[in-house]
Amino acid sequence: MSDWVDVAPATTIEPGQYRIVDVDDVPIAVFNVEGAFYAIEDLCSHEEYPIADGKIEGDRLTCPHHGAEFCLRDGRALSAPAVEPLTCFPVRVHDGTVQVRDDRWD
């Protein structure tokens, strides 16, 4: 079971911004979407390229490599060429710090 990993103070990640943290050798991008935090693996489900640097509009992230769109709230693919969702992770704010964990092996 993975422990919670500190990402950053919540006040330092503005809406529409993100931070990347390594959790057990997995790059996880944590996004602020209108004041709520969501975490995805920094890997497009279409071609396995880093995705966090894509265009963010509201809760949508567009892959910078092939233009597929994803919902940051739940990882689902919203447009071709992607059909598989992004891998999402639990995220929380604890004592003012954004934290994430990889619970896939729990």
Side-chain angles (χ1 to χ4, degrees):
M1 179 163 106
S2 175
D3 292 326
W4 289 98
V5 175
D6 291 349
V7 177
T11 58
T12 65
I13 307 174
E14 298 290 327
Q17 293 184 338
Y18 70 93
R19 296 285 189 284
I20 295 181
V21 64
D22 184 89
V23 178
D24 299 327
D25 295 323
V26 176
I28 297 178
V30 179
F31 293 83
N32 180 334
V33 177
E34 301 169 355
F37 294 97
Y38 300 93
I40 61 165
E41 184 173 4
D42 185 22
L43 195 63
C44 182
S45 65
H46 169 243
E47 287 286 333
E48 297 189 352
Y49 286 106
I51 192 170
D53 284 336
K55 184 178 178 182
I56 302 168
E57 289 186 70
D59 67 351
R60 289 178 173 237
L61 175 64
T62 302
C63 178
H65 302 285
H66 297 103
E69 289 186 329
F70 297 89
C71 178
L72 289 171
R73 295 178 192 274
D74 58 16
R76 71 194 142 96
L78 301 173
S79 71
V83 293
E84 296 295 320
L86 298 174
T87 302
C88 295
F89 299 94
V91 61
R92 71 180 184 182
V93 177
H94 180 71
D95 291 334
T97 300
V98 178
Q99 298 179 324
V100 67
R101 64 188 291 264
D102 184 347
D103 65 347
R104 293 178 293 177
W105 321 119
D106 290 355

